[in-house]
Amino acid sequence: MLEIENVSRTFPARRGLFGSTGGVRALNQVNLSVSKGESLGLVGESGSGKTTLTRQILRLDTPTSGRILFEGQDMAKLGPAALRALRARVQIVFQDPYASLNPRMSVHDIVTEPMLIHRGKLGLDRRQRTDRAAELLELVGLGPQHLYRHPHEFSGGQRQRICIARALAPGPSLLLLDEPTSALDVSVQAQVLNLLIDLQERLGLTYFFISHDLGVIRYICDRVAIIFQGEIKEEGRTQQIFDAPKSEYARSLLAAMPEVRVPD
Amino acid sequence: MIERHLSNKRSARAEALRRAFYRFRQSRLSLIGAAMVATVVFFTLFGAVLAPFPEHVDGGVDTSNRFSAPSLAHPFGTNELGQDVLSLVMAGTPVSVSAGFAVVFIGSVLGVIVGALAGFNGGWIDDVLMRFSDLMLTLPSLILAMAVAAALGPGFGNMIIAIALAWWPGYARLVRGEVLQAREEVYVAAARAIGASPFRVLFRHILPNIVSPVIVKMSLDMGFAILTVAALGFIGIGVRPPTPEWGTQLSIARSYMPDFWWTAVFPGLAMFMAVFGFNLLGDGLRDVLDPRARR
Amino acid sequence: MLRFIFRRILLILPVLFGLTVIMFVIARVLPGDPVGLAAGPNATREEIEALAREFGLDQPILGQYWTYVSGLAQGDFGTSIFTRRPVADDLAAYLPATLELVFSALLIAIVVGIPAGLMAAIWRNRWPDYLSNILSVAAISMPRFFLGLLLQLCFAMWLMWLPLGGRFPIILEPPPGVTGFYTIDALLAGDMESFQTACRYLAMPAIAMSLSPLATILRMMRAATIEVMQQDYVTTARALGLSPRLIVFKYVLRNAISSSLTLIGLYFGWLLGGTVLVETVFDWPGVGLYATSAIVAQDFMPVVSVALVIGALFISVNIVIDLLYGVINPKVRYQ
Amino acid sequence: MASLLEIRDLHLSMHSFEGAAKVLSGVTLSVEKGQIWGLVGETGCGKSLTGLSVSRLVRTPPAEYTRGKILLNGTDVLTLDEPRMRALRGRRIGMIFQDPTTNLNPSFRISTQLIDVALAAARHDSKILGLPATAGRWARRQAARRLAIDMLTEVGIPDAATRVDDYPHQFSGGMRQRVLIAMALVGQPDLLIADEPTTALDVSVQAQILDLLKQMVTVHDMGVVLITHNLGVVAQTCTHVAVMYAGAIVEKGPIRAVLTDPAHPYTKALMQAIPRRDVARGALQGLPGAVPNLVQPPAGCRFAPRCILAQPSCSKVPAEHERAAGHLVACPVVQAAHHA
Amino acid sequence: MPPIDLSTLTRRSFLALSGAGLAATSFPQELFAQSGRNILIIASGQDIPNFDPHTATGYSASFFMRNTYDPLVRVSGNPPEPVPALAQSWDVSANGRSYTFALNPAAVFHDGTPVTAADVIYSYQRALRLAKGNSWMIRGIVDPDQITAIDDHTVRFDLASPFAAFLQVIAWIFVVSKTTAEANEGGDDSATYLQANVAGSGPFTVRRAEPGALYHLDRAATAWQANGGNLDGVIWQIIRETSTQRLALQRGEVHIALNLTSEDMNSLESAPGVMRVIETEYRTFSIKMNTEFGPMADINMRKAIAYAMNYQGMLEAAGYAELMIGPLPSGILGHNPALAIYRTDLDKAREHLAMTATPEGGITLQMVHVNGNEQQRRWSLILLDSLQALNIQLEITPMNWPDMVAACQSPETFPDLFPVYQTANYGDPDNIAFAAYHSSRNGGWQNAVYNNPAADALIEAGRTEIDPARRVEIYGELQTLLVADCPDIFGVLEKRLLGMRDVVQGFSFTPVASNAVDAWPLSL
């Protein structure tokens, strides 16, 4: 469904007031593919290029070289209309549920906005959009009573549910999940993770799950790719990588993982 | 179902308003400011009508009654033409306030357009627009306003144009900075990710979120705009006579100090009180609308 | 560092160029007849035309602009049509007076504003803070010219403690000019009497001008101090047993001042551009008065030049501020 | 002999415009030298306030200590005035906070900040600098500088003698946290309070810092309170653990005991929410409901509204009972089951 | 409210001051004592931008020229009469066309060289050549080629036609040193040099010039003039605010204040140590109407407005003044005090209005006045107030002087109403009549639009006639004609208001340019 082929992204040198910084190679020859219905986990520490990669996939940024194919189409070659159509198919949930909701908009406006933008494709009128928003809220564990509240009235977990509802609104097939639970407490995290698993099963979604938390990745993903300094260090079945990591980096990462186990 | 949604919607709005009002009420000073501004607005609407000597407001003179000291008939005394100073001060309110408001309004509209264009587009548009507004900021604004006002000739409209011309770059800078910041917000990335057009991103997601600092700046700027209007009047490049304007009144009355101090002190005090009120209110509004800048 | 200074100075040039263009455009928009005025009420049309020729005003605007800019490059600010004196000479006479006023006002604002802001922050939400808050809003709201008039009314007209206006007693020779600042020149000459006299003349205009920046610096300083005091590193410093005095006067002060510095730079420009009013009230012989009379006479060379010089000064001071900022804030220095 | 730190029945209210929130209600904890106590719990459960209370860094008002004691080596710090409290900070109690980027003053060299802390600590105990109390200013400064370099070396900063004069932004995140640890240890404290010291760091750096902490405890013979929301971190580092919920400790004890036999329903729920190795996909158990409003908290057990075991007896404030040696649980239901 | 008693205040504040130890360098009296010199300080609102006696204008420049240069004759007394200056005596030919001046052999320039006939000829020729400043007074009267040096100290002028006021006008043509001027010719007829330097023979020289602030003159070492006072120097201090001038005078910081208002004079009435000079001067204020374009081209409209004007209010707002009787200043040669003129009469005003194209009013007229001129502003408002009775609106525009000058260039740009002060530069009716009503002046501010061949003829006849009785007749006719034509609202004659410390001695009032103070006879 999603193929990332030899994608590199180099940020050019910047001349600042006090001197210049050298170019930064954020992504280096990244190759990944995600098949329909699976969950691919991408693990990496801060600055490893995870977020840069999501921006490439969402076309918020353009790769320096390489290409990204979605359902066989080269995203770089899409015209504006096709790109908009594609935006309905690929959605994202961001890390920080506090920052990713426009504080000036009600939940209703937030959730119906994608339907409004893609109304040509979805063909929903105003009333239908509102009803669909209520349905979506129920789907993610909220209710229609929340429709006209504003984001600041919700807890972090509830906000992340709203983000998920928004992401689901245009009917996507691929969901990018950019550390969707790292800002949440464990108990809430568990709820959100379960919601994601539930939704995947019910809606047949494909997940591209990004996290630095190996435990979460292990819990939710079928396959894992480990990224370090813009390069994919290792990729494979989740079980296989956690049991027998091949690369040095993966080994050290797993060793440092703070597991809840009874000390010796 | 829709009805229920709507009642939710209303109660949520009311709740937000109550919260804002609570925070505003926290500061006694901003309440005083609001009261002062209310008084100013009252005189703006009715000052000319309520003036005890409306004929003096229209330029009528009473040369046999010049320079009488404050008394019951003329609480603020009379001026060099025998006009009632109280009437002139009262009638000066709409002039100063509407001029101040017009300056702030024109300046902010221009500035928001320029700042939003620059911040949202970036690239050479940003460079050109911001270099230009930086240039305008470098120029001494009062001298610029004086030069333009002198060029256009006296008059209410010309004065406003002259001041507003030097006023917008402040807004452009503010808005650009805020837009740049808002552009990087996750919810903006989210909006782009769901396929929102740049137009939609700017008007639905970015601008509503930078309204608060702009409104705060506008309310704080009202005072300064009134001051600048008065300053031009004081320099002698302001409205046409007989329009009663505080700065002009002060500038004329200056020659009669100290003997006929009332001709100068009352317009000056009116000016001070109006500006003081707007500044206190602006402070309070900032606390409510822009908690980031809360001190 | 040197490279940075050099680059900043190079950057002034396009700004100055832009300033000349803007001012020139505005100057040419001015209607009226500066030449007719300068020629006098009894001049004939031929005389006026001759005068226009003399000042190159018959040339196309681009030609005039070119003449002006190429003159500027050689330090020639053009000639005032009205006074017929070289503008550069006039500026040399008026600028020190304005600068002395502006620097004095700024000095008062800084010397009073920074400690007061610090105090307000320390006594936050107690009566010194409330008092300073209401006083500072009042100070910002006070029209400078009205304050100047009130000061004049009180201290010069009723109490007669201070002179009404002007810069120095006219029958005395001002101290020998080195810097053009009478106070500093008097000190340099060791003439305490002249210094006192100059200060007496400076007092009211400088106070009238300083009030608004003082209040703003106070508020800024207060806000910055409160913000810095809420920083994590202050908590750490407290948690590790540093005394409040050390924390406030060493760790907080430097960080708070660095955020107030930019403001001071901006205020310098604001003060320079705003001397017009105070100079008018106190008959202070500075560029503000000069510009006003030039504007009234529609004598645009001085107006353009005053704007240009103020602009250039403004930029220079802000470069200095940026450098100072680098000294205070090591992050900037090393980037 | 008294414990190093003994918190007894600490109650803290926080006044806001909504009313007084009872943010701590009956925290009791005792820490000995050589112990590393992990204080875990979710956001807003009061763990950080507990840590700050020990150093009396909670502003009063708006906060108010309504009941309880905090005994440090037998002295109740809640009764001390500010100057005497200051004598304890840095010297007896060291603190490390979450974000190493914001906890160092960006405008001053590392050396300045370390030396100031050392000098402040030495004012109360001149032995720290290894100088007699009468030593001159210059000598004290020099000694403080040497001490700073030694401490930096000890926490693993390479080339400390030259790096000591660098500014904070010249260090990486992990290195900055090491600098902060050095700063906290420069006064040779008996008690170290580390408030989420690794949350802002990457996993690999986190492991290094935690190792360093463990090492320091043995070298300096301290007691540590490690505040974290990550049970994994606790398991990796601590000797003891206390689980907090809504302002009270619900379960505490030696790490082994608590992890092998979590008794309180909240501890259990917490552990079941962690995606551990052996949890199958979809089998995690989230905790339904939300943290109670602390202005009007539920009477009795605050966890009761979310608890699957809740019974009428939960409406009374639960008393602690000892489940095993040192393993205390505050839940009447569990207690009943245990004894049954 | 009674005026504040400054004498007690002063005493009180002095006590306060000595207590506070602040009194040092406080008051100029002490400073004068310190300097030990007699320096006269004059407060004025006007700068002296130009020193060149042949191009400069304005009363400040007149002050400067009067004291640093010498003319052939000066005018003095009230009414003003010619008195010897460089010329110790003069002869006039019977036909009034030839004037011969005998120069005072004692007269020397500041560099010590004697003043000769060549310098006089050079100066007159230069003034006419440059055609600026005061040269308009002798243009068409003095032919530059008809000035001859009889010998070094005798010079003869042969006029193209007789000119009654010749001796009065040449008081304003000053003599520069030909050698100094030619040595600094500089390609611009010495304009640059003389603009900032003095090459004269007057009693004073420039010591210090601070443009916009003050001009300090010192008694010249070469001062040769007779009957001088004891002044060592004069300072022309620029104080823009009239109230500040008055306070400075009260505080003894200046000796003479030139720009006082009537209110200032009132509050000075009992001020200790202050003398007030309130004298009639040939200075008219009138409001010109656009006789050529727009509604005011209709004579009935002009008359309606002339009748509607509130003259009493104008007089009250003017303070020390009297209403004008016709176009000429009262008291000047030929003035007719019995002239029938316009006074406030609303019935007549409405009568005339009814004869216009807009009998019901309902129009808006444009009036400009000099920005910042307080008296003109007051009168504009009084006119606005007066015109409301005719249902006519007045739109008042304060304008900068250059804009006003520019507006005078054509009837189309000239406003409906335009206030003008005319100060007599010489004590002769020709001055006002020619400058204000002769059509050759059209396009200039003194008479932008009015032209009437009959008036022109009378003015020309008046200036070339020598017989005073005949002149009175001519000017009588002219006054009747102008009142009938009603080109102006004849306003007020403002008195000259000067404030002076009582230590100033030797002052005598002359009603021409009395604010350009002649310092030489004064003492302290």
Side-chain angles (χ1 to χ4, degrees), chain A residues 130-156:
Chain A
T130 304
D131 288 344
R132 170 99 179 110
E135 277 170 38
L136 283 168
L137 285 183
E138 276 177 288
L139 190 64
V140 297
L142 297 168
Q145 73 272 19
H146 295 119
L147 266 181
Y148 292 103
R149 303 239 181 109
H150 281 76
H152 64 88
E153 298 172 64
F154 293 92
S155 70

Side-chain angles (χ1 to χ4, degrees), chain C residues 62-86:
Chain C
L62 269 178
Q64 290 182 37
Y65 180 71
W66 174 244
T67 316
Y68 179 65
V69 170
S70 52
L72 269 184
Q74 296 154 29
D76 176 8
F77 282 86
T79 306
S80 153
I81 298 179
F82 191 63
T83 69
R84 306 232 188 158
R85 277 191 292 260

Side-chain angles (χ1 to χ4, degrees), chain D residues 33-339:
Chain D
K33 282 195 176 180
Q35 293 180 339
I36 305 180
W37 272 85
L39 202 53
V40 284
E42 295 181 284
T43 313
C45 69
K47 23 183 223 303
S48 289
L49 278 174
T50 309
L52 289 172
S53 293
V54 175
S55 280
R56 289 273 310 281
L57 289 172
V58 183
R59 272 183 191 280
T60 46
E64 186 191 353
Y65 292 97
T66 49
R67 208 187 318 160
K69 287 187 168 123
I70 302 173
L71 303 173
L72 188 75
N73 292 321
T75 318
D76 185 358
V77 298
L78 292 181
T79 62
L80 296 183
D81 59 5
E82 184 63 20
R84 282 168 63 201
M85 201 56 231
R86 213 183 304 138
L88 295 182
R89 294 188 195 127
R91 171 69 192 92
R92 297 283 170 211
I93 313 163
M95 290 194 87
I96 313 169
F97 296 95
Q98 175 175 349
D99 189 349
T101 45
T102 58
N103 277 291
L104 284 166
N105 192 322
S107 306
F108 291 87
R109 296 172 199 280
I110 297 297
S111 53
T112 317
Q113 304 187 42
L114 275 163
I115 289 170
D116 278 340
V117 173
L119 289 175
R123 191 170 307 146
H124 309 293
D125 185 356
S126 55
K127 283 198 295 296
I128 284 169
L129 298 180
L131 290 174
T134 52
R137 210 184 151 79
W138 177 243
R140 286 211 311 269
R141 277 206 95 78
Q142 286 308 105
R145 186 180 165 83
R146 274 195 305 277
L147 182 63
I149 294 171
D150 290 348
M151 277 317 301
L152 288 180
T153 314
E154 198 182 329
V155 298
I157 305 258
D159 199 11
T162 48
R163 299 229 54 192
V164 70
D165 286 324
D166 280 352
Y167 285 94
H169 64 267
Q170 291 167 283
F171 289 84
S172 71
M175 285 295 163
R176 273 181 237 178
Q177 197 57 291
R178 284 170 193 269
V179 170
L180 278 163
I181 292 174
M183 218 155 116
L185 296 184
V186 106
Q188 300 174 4
D190 310 319
L191 177 68
L192 182 68
I193 294 169
D195 189 351
E196 306 257 12
T198 59
T199 308
L201 303 175
D202 278 329
V203 196
S204 47
V205 185
Q206 165 169 292
Q208 294 165 18
I209 295 291
L210 292 176
D211 279 346
L212 175 67
L213 265 181
K214 278 203 270 192
Q215 192 189 326
M216 289 295 125
V217 173
T218 24
V219 174
H220 291 276
D221 187 28
M222 301 181 294
V224 175
V225 177
L226 176 67
I227 296 162
T228 179
H229 64 272
N230 190 332
L231 261 177
V233 167
V234 173
Q236 209 171 335
T237 321
C238 299
T239 61
H240 293 75
V241 64
V243 181
M244 285 188 80
Y245 180 78
I249 290 176
V250 295
E251 182 165 4
K252 67 190 170 200
I255 186 86
R256 246 193 116 80
V258 176
L259 289 189
T260 48
D261 178 25
H264 196 281
Y266 178 65
T267 318
K268 280 186 179 166
L270 210 54
M271 290 186 62
Q272 278 164 357
I274 295 167
R276 284 185 296 172
R277 200 180 178 78
D278 48 358
V279 180
R281 192 167 195 264
L284 271 188
Q285 308 243 316
L287 190 56
V291 178
N293 173 3
L294 294 180
V295 176
Q296 283 168 317
C301 178
R302 291 183 173 185
F303 186 62
R306 300 171 81 183
C307 185
I308 42 166
L309 302 177
Q311 290 185 4
S313 61
C314 296
S315 59
K316 273 183 288 191
V317 176
E320 284 184 330
H321 73 277
E322 192 156 23
R323 191 177 174 83
H327 184 180
L328 296 162
V329 183
C331 175
V333 182
V334 168
Q335 183 182 13
H338 189 65
H339 289 291

Side-chain angles (χ1 to χ4, degrees), chain C residues 94-129:
Chain C
Y94 295 123
L95 198 58
T98 294
L99 285 179
E100 185 174 30
L101 186 56
V102 168
F103 281 128
S104 313
L106 214 49
L107 191 73
I108 297 174
I110 291 171
V111 166
V112 182
I114 286 190
L118 200 62
M119 292 299 134
I122 289 171
W123 281 302
R124 187 181 172 202
N125 292 342
R126 273 184 274 171
W127 69 264
D129 184 26

